Amino acid sequence: ETGVTQSPTHLIKTRGQQVTLRCSSQSGHNTVSWYQQALGQGPQFIFQYYREEENGRGNFPPRFSGLQFPNYSSELNVNALELDDSALYLCASSQDWSSYEQYFGPGTRLTVT
Amino acid sequence: GNSVTQMEGPVTLSEEAFLTINCTYTATGYPSLFWYVQYPGEGLQLLLKATKADDKGSNKGFEATYRKETTSFHLEKGSVQVSDSAVYFCARDNYGQNFVFGPGTRLSVLP
């Protein structure tokens, strides 16, 4: 039990739609990172938010965007969904942007049809 | 580049067998290294870590030693249990900001 929760657990969307995934970090953790884990692969870094500002981004297009709120919650938004966006989306919170201790949530399984 | 390579799975062992999962990395400098475990239907859990060369991380009977000369961080356990069945990910930090993960190795332990 990491204290990091994500919602929803599963989601099915149609190509071209938009989706919002949510994460609730551990209290006191001011950094959240989002990862995409395609089936059978390791997680790929999407971006990180530190104190409500984007603090680094992986190789993902601008249609992947995020928000972080003062109450330790955050969102991942994906516009114009593509079939390849089908994956498990993981958020991970940490006390600080440079901390090695990242606590992962259980993930949201997104299926795009 | 900056990447992590793991032995391909699945790995199937009998209970009490010895486990080795190989991991090698590429990096500029000396990153911190990690093993994460993912049980079915769950997120990632940190299993162990090592932050500098020759460090040995250990937890729940698992061990891994940071080998700078071979850029490796192989995971070992002397006697696996059925409950160890999971997917194991080797990872390195990306200059403290996020992690670079390997593709994962699925372990199945049979009773």
Side-chain angles (χ1 to χ4, degrees):
Chain A
E1 191 68 41
T2 64
V4 180
T5 59
Q6 292 186 242
S7 63
T9 305
H10 297 90
L11 199 54
I12 300 175
K13 288 286 190 178
T14 303
R15 189 170 49 185
Q17 285 187 314
Q18 178 267 341
V19 69
T20 297
L21 310 181
R22 294 180 172 83
C23 172
S24 180
S25 301
Q26 279 197 21
S27 180
H29 283 193
N30 57 25
T31 303
V32 64
S33 302
W34 285 90
Y35 292 82
Q36 180 195 66
Q37 186 180 8
L39 196 62
Q41 297 182 26
Q44 301 287 320
F45 174 68
I46 303 175
F47 45 56
Q48 182 186 81
Y49 277 76
Y50 171 66
R51 293 185 175 178
E52 302 165 46
E53 297 286 333
E54 188 176 293
N55 187 45
R57 190 177 185 93
N59 190 25
F60 281 80
R63 59 189 186 85
F64 285 77
S65 63
L67 287 172
Q68 185 187 25
F69 304 101
N71 65 351
Y72 306 113
S73 67
S74 57
E75 292 180 354
L76 164 64
N77 299 288
V78 187
N79 293 323
L81 283 167
E82 301 176 0
L83 296 179
D84 285 349
D85 295 334
S86 296
L88 180 68
Y89 287 86
L90 298 166
C91 74
S93 77
S94 56
Q95 204 161 15
D96 192 86
W97 69 270
S98 62
S99 173
Y100 300 133
E101 298 287 342
Q102 293 201 9
Y103 297 87
F104 283 83
T108 293
R109 172 76 60 191
L110 171 65
T111 302
V112 181
T113 62
Chain B
N2 299 324
S3 65
V4 176
T5 305
Q6 292 179 232
M7 64 186 290
E8 288 189 25
V11 174
T12 303
L13 297 173
S14 298
E15 207 165 22
E16 299 183 4
F18 184 85
L19 169 71
T20 299
I21 301 178
N22 291 338
C23 170
T24 57
Y25 67 91
T26 60
T28 304
Y30 305 108
S32 293
L33 302 172
F34 307 82
W35 277 100
Y36 277 83
V37 58
Q38 187 173 36
Y39 297 102
E42 298 184 15
L44 298 171
Q45 298 178 27
L46 177 64
L47 181 59
L48 54 84
K49 67 181 180 186
T51 59
K52 61 183 187 296
D54 299 325
D55 265 3
K56 177 185 283 188
S58 61
N59 185 27
K60 300 181 181 179
F62 291 90
E63 292 183 341
T65 301
Y66 190 142
R67 300 289 187 198
K68 181 180 65 175
E69 60 278 4
T70 54
T71 61
S72 64
F73 193 55
H74 304 324
L75 182 68
E76 296 182 336
K77 186 175 185 182
S79 177
V80 293
Q81 306 300 311
V82 173
S83 57
D84 294 327
S85 297
V87 182
Y88 292 81
F89 293 94
C90 186
R92 48 149 290 203
D93 80 298
N94 192 22
Y95 310 108
Q97 189 177 64
N98 57 77
F99 292 107
V100 177
F101 288 89
T105 301
R106 181 174 299 278
L107 170 66
S108 295
V109 180
L110 305 178

